[in-house]
């Protein structure tokens, strides 16, 4: 029995002992096929999933390699059933291939006649297919390429897509590496994507996903459609592209609620794409308005369901997904796999932090003891008002004010869910606030002032959860959030993880009312970060103020 | 020459004669081969011979034969008289002479000088169409005629040639057809107007003089994937460690959440499912584990139906891995219970721990399957089935087919007797009956520490010692199982620990002691928080309360000697509770000189009812006296009985039951069979009492008269021997 760093559990989780001398080597070996589930301080948990194994197949790994790796690093004997299952699962990928045929056009082909028969007979698949050419080949309606892939994945027979991509309208784009260089992992990510054709790159917040997108565009040399979460993010993409690539202002268009520009590189928001007028998606034409060579999806884990539907129709265009986590709260990971593509690149947060590309962070949970009066109010509040009641108490506000005062020399963001509460805080501190109804212009001015250091403290609502680049923010104080959303917590922490000019470490405060539902939600929210290796310290508000 | 001698001369020597010629060693060998013959010890060789040639003993002996031995025995059974080895070889292949010797040693064949004879009952046991052959016609058949056979005739014969030799042909009298030709030339013999038989001579001729299609003098070799010893041992180690872990885990789970056996016995489907979910194992695996635990006696079904681990389980857990495994594996091997049957729906659901899993030949089949496995090869299901079936070609309670082989092979894999489908080195040693298997050295050694992490999980990087895992699982939930265990601490799990009587401090110090890493601060906080909250609310039981705004009165009641026996408890300055009924309590208080008044659920004062009312549901007594009117059915029955009695009445007055000799009885009955004419019979019951019955005789078979009985108006069998006499009614 070897004394390896890996323990293979019968429920298909892999436990990696990171204090083991072989742990780094082992991590590299298992990363292609196992999903990193959590990476706390001593033992990292990976999971073998069908999607993960198919991702590995798509990246050119075979079952034998996977099994060898497991056996090589495993500390204890590996259950045989698990190995058989791995081989069986991986064997399913690629049994069916979608190819382009010179005469018949798009075809579904399989050397395994039985499998092809099985899927042809499936109710969900049959309408997507055309005439049968021979025992091993059947034509596919070109418009159904994406739907077919989705349906096949659900049947457990994911098809490998060899039908290729259209080049799109050529457009010269190159990176302008002046005074900066593409980081190694960014380059690897972009190359990994390009060789794979389509797929998702997973990088932590602040690790420079925009640049991966830019590098992918430089590979594609074609017109590009970029879909982002909101207008502010769209502007940031534009600024970043202007700064880092050969593109000029006339080449980049914004397609949002405010502007409807279509240029060789167009940045559109999810919101405008999913806007409906009289029950129809009014801006869907954007996908067809240009012969796009590349489509980039920012924050794939937030991709709204309608966009999936559009994406199914544009399977012949290259697609790049960017995200910090493949975990979707709605469980639509399978859609991401089949429609955007398999995971092409992934690296854990801590590793990038260790390389100095994201700032180390210190997470602190501040426990606030409510006054008796507040407790009573909380106790008698209606169920649906409980969270608001405990997370917007005056005691909590006072603690936030005290914290802000302590950090008055740092760049501080105060983030909250309830507008009344953050309004009060902004007023008490005498600092500006950004919320849903703040005009985009004003937001940009404020963000700019904050970036330059002109403004030390900024209060923001949840509009600032995503894609706002505030490199110098080093302190975040979270007053309240969207209940127990783990993914929001990660996004908010991400706001302060950009490396600081003086390599300061960032601090993330979460102010929590003791013995209330707030505390329960906080625990749930923190789970993702704890699993990423960011563990929380708990301190008492009284200690802090004293 | 006496009669017996002449019979013997006709039949040749008997088995007893052969036994008399056998040496002591040969007899000992016979007893070894057929241990049933020695119990009880036969008085003499004649007794032994008759016991050995009795059907039950022969069946048992034949069940031990492999396919090749059966084939030779079938060949021998074709000879009505004695036969030679050469004749058997001619019918089969060379090498049969060795089998003849084996069969003789077994007492299925016996010597007649230089020739052999077959024990008579063997033929019956082998069945109707031995080796697919029809009966012999003892006629000369001209096989040359076959060259002139009309088209289709040969094909038809070939369809019957390997048996079964019976064929349906529509109409054998059809003129001008193939059938007519075959029947005319005696290649077929008619059975009835639609059925023909292929005579033995014709079949043997078509088979080219050989009795069977093919002969295999040894078990077919296994075909499948080759597996290295290392691979199979590794897989076996994984199986063994998870099996032992799951046995403990299942029993511990049932100790906490005890299932109850079904009315019909056995573990319910829902409980099996729940246990499987808990173990995250397949249901058939869980059933297998439960069965094993039950069979080795660490799991009991209580008189009230609860399924619980017993004291033996505690002893079992103190044993080392090898001993535990040995106990499980040897019990499995010799058990007649087939856990693969669980979940089958026959007449009703077959359940684990139920009474319907026993199959008499399960252990033998299991042994044969284990013996079929080899080191270094993972056989395909078909290949394994073929090999095993060669050794055991019989159809009994359990037959070797792909289903049984799947079950047994699966179980051998779970037990680690095979690993990755091939015989593991543990399995090999176990099969050879070696005592030292090396399991303890191969399994990971238990660890006595955990690693606690910031996300409120703890990881035991190997199998935990029994004591630590038991403690830990009281206040942590298991999140992932395998060689290692991942525990999660949550509010719920910690509360459970506190409910079990641990204090927050105890939990903290226990964790500190067994954790190799410092206890993270959030967990520390969590423990403190839960401990602080735990027990703040108290729930107790009381039947009534006494409350009073005046604390002095409460104090007085509490101190009152007259009320001491009520055992009142003070739970607040103004409230006392007690176990007495509220009405009794009020009576007692009044008696002691207080002035209580009752309170209802809303706290309002209730007045005493003016008069009392019973609380029990009304159950009026039945009214006796009136006689209910008889129903239509009862009336009908009464009339029928009366009419029957009427018919038999005249004779009864004369006190005469019909009496006739047995031949007269039969004649009379035969005469009136099925004519719908009523007869009177005297019929003796089991005690010899004779009663008069009026019947319409319908048919006679096997000494029984089937007749319509006027008394019951139903069809009833009457034993002819018990009919004392018959007359016309």
């Amino acid at each position: 029995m070897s004394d390896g760093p890996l323990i293979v559990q019968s429920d298909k989780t892999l436990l990696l002992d990171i204090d083991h001398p072989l742990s780094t080597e082992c991590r590299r070996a298992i990363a292609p096929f196992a999903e990193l589930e959590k990476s706390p301080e001593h033992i990292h948990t990976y999971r073998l999933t069908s999607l993960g194994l198919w991702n590995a197949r798509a990246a050119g790994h075979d079952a034998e390699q996977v099994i060898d790796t497991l056996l090589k690093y495993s500390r204890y004997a590996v259950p045989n059933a698990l190995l058989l299952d791995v081989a069986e699962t991986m064997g399913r990928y690629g049994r069916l291939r979608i190819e382009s045929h010179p005469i018949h056009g798009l075809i579904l082909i399989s050397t395994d006649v039985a499998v092809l028969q099985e899927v042809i007979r499936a109710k969900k698949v049959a309408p997507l297919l055309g005439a049968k050419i021979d025992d091993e080949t059947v034509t596919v309606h070109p418009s159904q390429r994406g739907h077919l892939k989705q349906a096949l994945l659900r049947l457990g027979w994911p098809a490998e897509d060899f039908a290729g991509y259209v080049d799109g309208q050529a457009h010269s784009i190159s990176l302008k590496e002046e005074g900066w260089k593409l980081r190694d992992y960014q380059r690897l990510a972009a190359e990994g994507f390009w060789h794979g054709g389509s797929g998702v790159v997973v990088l932590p917040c602040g690790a420079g996903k925009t640049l991966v997108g830019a590098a992918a565009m430089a590979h594609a040399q074609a017109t590009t459609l970029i879909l982002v979460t909101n207008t502010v993010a769209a502007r940031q993409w534009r600024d970043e592209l202007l700064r880092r690539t050969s593109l000029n202002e006339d080449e980049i268009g914004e397609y949002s609620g405010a502007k409807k520009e279509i240029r060789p590189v167009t940045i559109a928001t999810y919101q405008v794409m999913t806007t409906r007028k009289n029950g129809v998606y009014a801006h869907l034409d954007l996908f067809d308005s240009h012969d796009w060579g590349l489509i980039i999806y920012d924050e794939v884990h937030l991709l709204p369901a309608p966009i999936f539907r559009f994406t199914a129709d544009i399977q012949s265009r290259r697609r790049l997904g960017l995200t910090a986590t493949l975990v979707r709260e709605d469980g639509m990971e399978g859609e991401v796999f089949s429609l955007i593509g398999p995971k092409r690149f992934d690296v854990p947060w801590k590793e990038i932090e260790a390389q100095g590309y994201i700032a180390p962070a210190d997470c602190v949970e501040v426990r606030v003891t409510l006054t008796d009066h507040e407790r009573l109010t909380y106790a008698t509040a209606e169920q649906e008002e409980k969270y608001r009641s405990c997370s917007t108490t005056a005691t909590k506000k006072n603690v936030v004010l005290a914290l802000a005062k302590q950090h008055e020399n740092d760049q501080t963001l105060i983030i909250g869910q309830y507008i009344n509460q953050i309004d009060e805080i902004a007023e008490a501190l005498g600092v500006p606030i950004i919320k849903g109804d703040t005009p985009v212009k004003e937001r940009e001015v404020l963000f700019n002032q904050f970036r330059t250091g002109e403004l030390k403290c900024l209060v923001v609502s949840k509009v600032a959860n995503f894609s706002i680049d505030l490199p110098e923010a080093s302190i975040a104080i979270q007053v309240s959030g969207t209940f127990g959303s783990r993914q929001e917590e990660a996004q908010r922490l991400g706001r302060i993880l950009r490396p600081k000019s003086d390599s300061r470490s960032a601090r993330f405060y979460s102010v929590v009312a003791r013995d209330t539902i707030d505390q329960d939600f906080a625990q749930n929210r923190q789970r993702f970060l704890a699993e990423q290796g960011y563990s929380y310290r708990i301190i008492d508000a009284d200690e802090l103020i004293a | 020459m006496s009669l017996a001698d002449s019979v013997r001369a006709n039949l040749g020597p008997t088995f007893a004669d052969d036994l008399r010629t056998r040496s002591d060693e040969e007899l000992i060998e016979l007893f070894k081969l057929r241990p049933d013959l020695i119990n009880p010890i036969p008085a003499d060789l004649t007794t032994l011979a008759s016991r050995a040639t009795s059907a039950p003993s022969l069946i048992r002996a034949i069940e031990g034969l492999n396919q090749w031995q059966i084939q030779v025995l079938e060949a021998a059974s074709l000879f009505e008289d004695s036969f030679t080895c050469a004749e058997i070889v001619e019918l089969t292949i060379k090498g049969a002479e060795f089998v003849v010797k084996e069969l003789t040693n077994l007492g299925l064949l016996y010597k007649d000088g230089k020739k052999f004879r077959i024990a008579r009952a063997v033929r019956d046991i082998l069945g109707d169409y031995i080796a697919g052959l029809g009966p012999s016609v003892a006629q000369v058949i001209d096989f040359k005629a076959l060259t002139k056979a009309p088209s289709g005739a040969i094909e038809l014969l070939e369809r019957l040639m390997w048996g079964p030799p019976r064929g349906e042909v529509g109409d054998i009298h059809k003129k001008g057809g193939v059938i007519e030709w075959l029947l005319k030339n005696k290649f077929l013999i008619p059975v009835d107007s639609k059925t023909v038989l292929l005579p033995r001579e014709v079949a043997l001729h078509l088979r080219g003089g050989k009795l069977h299609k093919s002969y295999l003098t040894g078990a077919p070799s296994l075909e499948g994937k080759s597996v290295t010893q290392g691979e199979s041992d590794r897989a076996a180690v994984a199986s063994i460690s998870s099996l032992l872990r799951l046995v403990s885990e299942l029993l511990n789970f049932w100790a906490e959440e005890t299932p109850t056996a079904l009315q019909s016995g056995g573990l319910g489907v829902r409980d099996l499912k729940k246990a499987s979910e808990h173990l995250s194992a397949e249901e058939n695996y869980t059933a297998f584990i439960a069965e094993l635990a039950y069979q080795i006696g660490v799991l009991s079904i209580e008189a009230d139906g609860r399924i619980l681990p017993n004291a033996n389980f505690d002893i079992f857990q103190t044993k080392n891995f090898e001993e535990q495994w040995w106990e499980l594996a040897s019990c499995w091997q010799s058990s007649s219970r087939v856990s693969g049957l669980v979940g089958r729906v026959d007449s009703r659901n077959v359940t684990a721990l139920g009474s319907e899993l026993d199959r008499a030949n399960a252990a033998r089949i299991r042994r044969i399957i284990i013996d079929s496995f080899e080191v270094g090869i993972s056989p395909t299901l078909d290949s394994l089935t073929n090999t095993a079936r060669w050794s055991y070609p019989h159809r009994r309670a359990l037959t070797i087919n792909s289903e049984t082989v799947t079950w047994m092979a699966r179980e051998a894999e779970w037990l680690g007797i095979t690993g990755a489908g091939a015989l593991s080195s543990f399995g090999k040693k176990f099969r050879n009956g070696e005592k030292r298997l090396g399991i303890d050295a191969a399994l990971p050694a238990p660890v006595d520490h955990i690693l606690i992490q910031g996300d409120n999980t703890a990881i035991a990087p190997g199998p935990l010692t029994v004591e630590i895992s038991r403690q830990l699982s009281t206040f942590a939930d298991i999140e992932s199982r395998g060689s290692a265990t991942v525990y999660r601490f949550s509010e719920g799990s910690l509360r459970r620990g506190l409910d079990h009587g641990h204090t927050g401090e105890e939990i903290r110090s226990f964790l500190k002691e067994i954790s190799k890493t410092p206890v993270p601060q959030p967990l520390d906080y969590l423990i403190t928080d839960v401990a602080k909250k735990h027990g703040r609310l108290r729930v107790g039981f009381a039947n009534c309360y006494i409350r009073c705004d005046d604390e002095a009165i409460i104090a007085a009641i509490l101190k009152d000697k007259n009320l001491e026996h009520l055992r009142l408890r003070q739970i607040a300055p103004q409230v006392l509770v007690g176990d007495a009924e509220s009405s009794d309590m009020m009576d007692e208080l009044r008696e002691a000189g207080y002035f209580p008044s009752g309170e209802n659920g809303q706290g309002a004062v209730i007045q005493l009812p003016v008069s009392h009312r019973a609380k029990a549901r009304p159950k009026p007594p039945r009214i006796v006296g009136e006689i209910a009117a008889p129903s239509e059915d009862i009336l009908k029955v009464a009339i029928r009985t009366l009419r029957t009695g009427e018919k038999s009445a005249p004779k009864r007055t004369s006190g005469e039951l019909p009496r006739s000799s047995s031949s007269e009885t039969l004649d009379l009955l035969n005469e009136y069979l099925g004519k719908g004419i009523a007869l009177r019979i005297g019929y003796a019951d089991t005690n010899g009492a004779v009663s008069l019955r009026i019947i319409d005789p319908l048919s006679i078979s096997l000494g029984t008269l089937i007749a319509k009985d006027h008394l019951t108006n139903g069809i009833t069998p009457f034993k002819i021997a018990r009919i004392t006499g018959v007359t016309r009614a």
Side-chain angles (χ1 to χ4, degrees), chain B residues 26-38 42 48:
Chain B
E26 284 170 327
L27 288 177
I28 286 172
E29 198 191 341
L30 177 65
F31 284 132
K32 276 188 184 161
L33 290 169
R34 293 172 65 179
D36 58 308
L37 297 182
I38 205 168
L48 175 61

Side-chain angles (χ1 to χ4, degrees), chain B residues 275-326:
Chain B
S276 301
E277 272 163 17
H278 177 80
L279 300 182
S280 41
E282 304 256 323
E283 278 176 37
N284 48 29
Y285 190 16
T286 311
F288 170 70
I289 293 168
E291 268 292 322
L292 274 187
Y294 183 50
Q295 288 166 36
I296 63 166
V298 296
L299 183 69
S300 306
I301 301 181
E302 295 270 73
D304 60 2
R306 283 180 308 148
I307 300 173
L308 272 175
N310 53 33
N312 286 344
F313 175 55
D314 298 313
I315 299 169
F316 179 77
Q317 280 192 306
T318 61
K319 293 182 179 171
N320 61 31
F321 293 143
E322 183 158 318
E323 287 167 345
Q324 293 185 350
W325 186 81
W326 182 271

Side-chain angles (χ1 to χ4, degrees), chain B residues 485-503:
Chain B
T485 316
V486 179
Y487 292 91
R488 176 171 290 283
F489 301 100
S490 66
E491 214 176 76
S493 76
L494 288 167
R495 196 186 55 222
R496 195 178 61 225
L498 296 169
D499 291 343
H500 271 81
H502 298 291
T503 64

Side-chain angles (χ1 to χ4, degrees), chain B residues 154 219 527:
Chain B
I154 303 283
I527 297 173

